Amino acid sequence: MTRIDDANAAAIQGVLDAAPMLVGVGRARDVIPGMADDVLLHAGPPITWDRMSGPVRGAVIGALLYERRAETEDEAVALVESGRVRFDPCHHHGAVGPMAGIVSPSMPVCIVENRTAGNRAYSTLNEGYGKVLRYGAYGQDVLDRLRWMEQTLAPALGRALELAGGIDMKTLIAQALQMGDEGHNRNRAGSALLGRWLAPHLVRAGLSTDRQSEVFRYLAANDLAVLNPVMAACKATMDAAHGIEGSTLVTAMARNGTEFGIRVSGLGDRWFTAPAETPVGLYFPGFGPADANPDVGDSTITETAGIGAFAMAAAPAIVTFVSGTARDAMTSTLEMYEITVAENPVFKIPPLDFRGTPTGIDIRKVVRTGILPRINTGIAHRRAGVGQIGAGLVRPPRMCFEEAVEAMAAALGR
């Protein structure tokens, strides 16, 4: 065993031993470490306002309207340009956010605790489909939905989770994979499981009949309801593997809509970045590739943890949403075994004779084989205020992994 192999063995054990539990819902300013009233968290590596893409800018504007720090789009832009809004990556605060990933102080966030390592991770609640903040939309309907989530949905879910004693996310993800999900773009089974497990407790949460009905309709209509807790579970899992000297394991992949970035266990909190690619996929009627923004979002934490595109063989139906064939879904997973260090014995894939999902991306294997991680993703319009226009597949830039390998060689004195 080499020094790197020993370090990677320790890192991957932290991943495989992780026990992420969805334990509650709290307000971002109250529960996320380092959150402040003038801070907005965003997806991906660090970025400044002048370099933000359209959908991220749109989500920033929407968050400032939601927080009532501005009354109009122009006021929101002026507030940012005055320097009175600070930006920081979600990942720097133990959080993750889908697409633009904007988290503002008043937003409710789900809390996931890794019962093995004791660390916590956070993610906003999922808004559902259509025009939503995470894709850069900020109309009145978007703001109304966010305020309903804050005032009705979050207290209800929080009370139900309290009564339930939390939800074992590792078990939920394992079951969802056996029911045809891959845990990133397809979460139909996982969201159904979440609703089923919460239902007995929601009816004891002290809600009026009308409020109960609203919450159940949200859970019934939103096949992405579980995505955000899954992301937080993956973040809590991968953070347990971060900071191990000499480890070449990737602990975060994320995009801010301009750049793609990775972090590596043995290289501290440094980001290795390169321009983000534009996804290839299927578009909603009236839109096409010319409308698409480059890849954006922290949801690649799912692939980092060994699900998402890494588990596509479990979810052949997803190709009707992201393009490709059922054989492509199988090929996607098989290819990822070439660049990972382990198989997760809990996350089993029925079409592969219940083989565990490929887990733990090794930057050395990526560079040596030339195989880049596969990622399932949504596609945002490149202009602020429009929203989602499709879904597809993308790969990270090779440069991120090449520079990380060079940095590791320097760190180890080679």
Side-chain angles (χ1 to χ4, degrees):
M1 292 280 283
T2 68
R3 177 180 172 188
I4 291 177
D5 290 335
D6 288 341
N8 282 347
I12 198 64
Q13 200 61 50
V15 173
L16 300 180
D17 288 346
M21 291 282 294
L22 176 58
V23 296
V25 176
R27 194 180 300 273
R29 68 160 61 85
D30 299 332
V31 298
I32 294 181
M35 192 67 185
D37 284 343
D38 64 339
V39 170
L40 294 181
L41 305 184
H42 63 78
I47 190 168
T48 52
W49 171 255
D50 59 303
R51 298 184 63 243
M52 285 181 185
S53 62
V56 180
R57 283 189 169 215
V60 167
I61 292 167
L64 294 173
L65 296 173
Y66 164 73
E67 293 286 343
R68 295 189 167 90
R69 294 188 67 189
E71 295 297 327
T72 66
E73 174 185 343
D74 289 344
E75 285 184 16
V77 172
L79 184 65
V80 172
E81 292 179 345
S82 74
R84 288 184 289 157
V85 178
R86 291 187 291 150
F87 298 106
D88 214 13
C90 291
H91 273 286
H92 291 187
H93 297 260
V96 280
M99 301 310 290
I102 298 299
V103 182
S104 68
S106 300
M107 288 182 181
V109 293
C110 59
I111 305 166
V112 172
E113 182 174 290
N114 179 357
R115 291 284 168 84
T116 305
N119 59 306
R120 285 189 164 192
Y122 312 88
S123 183
T124 50
L125 305 181
N126 193 279
E127 304 163 74
Y129 299 97
K131 289 193 173 184
V132 288
L133 187 81
R134 68 180 185 276
Y135 279 94
Y138 54 84
Q140 189 58 49
D141 54 339
V142 175
L143 302 179
D144 290 344
R145 185 188 299 116
L146 290 174
R147 292 186 177 121
W148 174 81
M149 293 171 69
E150 176 189 342
Q151 295 162 10
T152 300
L153 180 65
L157 295 181
R159 179 60 178 149
L161 285 168
E162 183 181 345
L163 292 168
I167 286 180
D168 182 342
M169 292 302 297
K170 195 170 190 175
T171 298
L172 185 149
I173 294 168
Q175 289 192 17
L177 293 182
Q178 305 232 351
M179 296 166 67
D181 280 359
E182 43 75 84
H184 185 169
N185 261 2
R186 183 177 172 86
N187 286 285
R188 183 166 295 179
S191 295
L193 289 171
L194 179 68
R196 190 172 76 175
W197 292 3
L198 285 175
H201 309 289
L202 282 169
V203 298
R204 296 195 297 126
L207 303 173
S208 68
T209 303
D210 287 346
R211 290 291 180 264
Q212 272 189 32
S213 176
E214 291 174 10
V215 172
F216 280 120
R217 274 185 292 174
Y218 163 86
L219 290 169
N222 185 4
D223 286 341
L224 294 174
V226 82
L227 171 61
N228 297 36
V230 165
M231 288 174 57
C234 291
K235 172 65 174 169
T237 296
M238 297 313 300
D239 275 0
H242 193 69
I244 297 177
E245 185 179 354
S247 172
T248 54
L249 222 64
V250 176
T251 52
M253 297 193 293
R255 317 82 97 197
N256 58 30
T258 302
E259 292 178 318
F260 193 110
I262 68 169
R263 295 207 296 185
V264 178
S265 176
L267 293 172
D269 291 336
R270 177 178 173 184
W271 287 93
F272 298 89
T273 64
E277 305 284 345
T278 300
V280 175
L282 301 177
Y283 288 86
F284 299 160
F287 298 104
D291 301 309
N293 196 75
D295 197 22
V296 61
D298 285 335
S299 53
T300 36
I301 193 67
T302 56
E303 278 83 7
T304 314
I307 57 174
F310 285 46
M312 271 184 74
I318 196 175
V319 299
T320 61
F321 188 53
V322 298
S323 78
T325 65
R327 183 177 296 277
D328 293 334
M330 191 76 75
T331 300
S332 174
T333 295
L334 292 174
E335 188 182 48
M336 295 301 95
Y337 287 112
E338 301 297 320
I339 59 171
T340 47
V341 301
E343 299 177 15
N344 193 320
V346 176
F347 297 160
K348 297 177 179 177
I349 303 175
L352 295 180
D353 289 332
F354 297 94
R355 188 176 179 182
T357 60
T359 305
I361 302 165
D362 186 338
I363 55 173
R364 299 173 304 167
K365 290 189 173 186
V366 173
V367 171
R368 185 170 64 242
T369 64
I371 298 172
L372 294 165
R374 292 176 181 250
I375 296 165
N376 294 338
T377 189
I379 304 175
H381 198 285
R382 58 186 171 79
R383 291 202 314 268
V386 178
Q388 184 176 9
I389 59 172
L393 306 168
V394 71
R395 303 228 194 196
R398 187 182 309 276
M399 186 188 306
C400 301
F401 298 89
E402 292 173 343
E403 291 186 352
V405 167
E406 291 174 2
M408 181 61 74
L412 296 177
R414 296 181 176 181

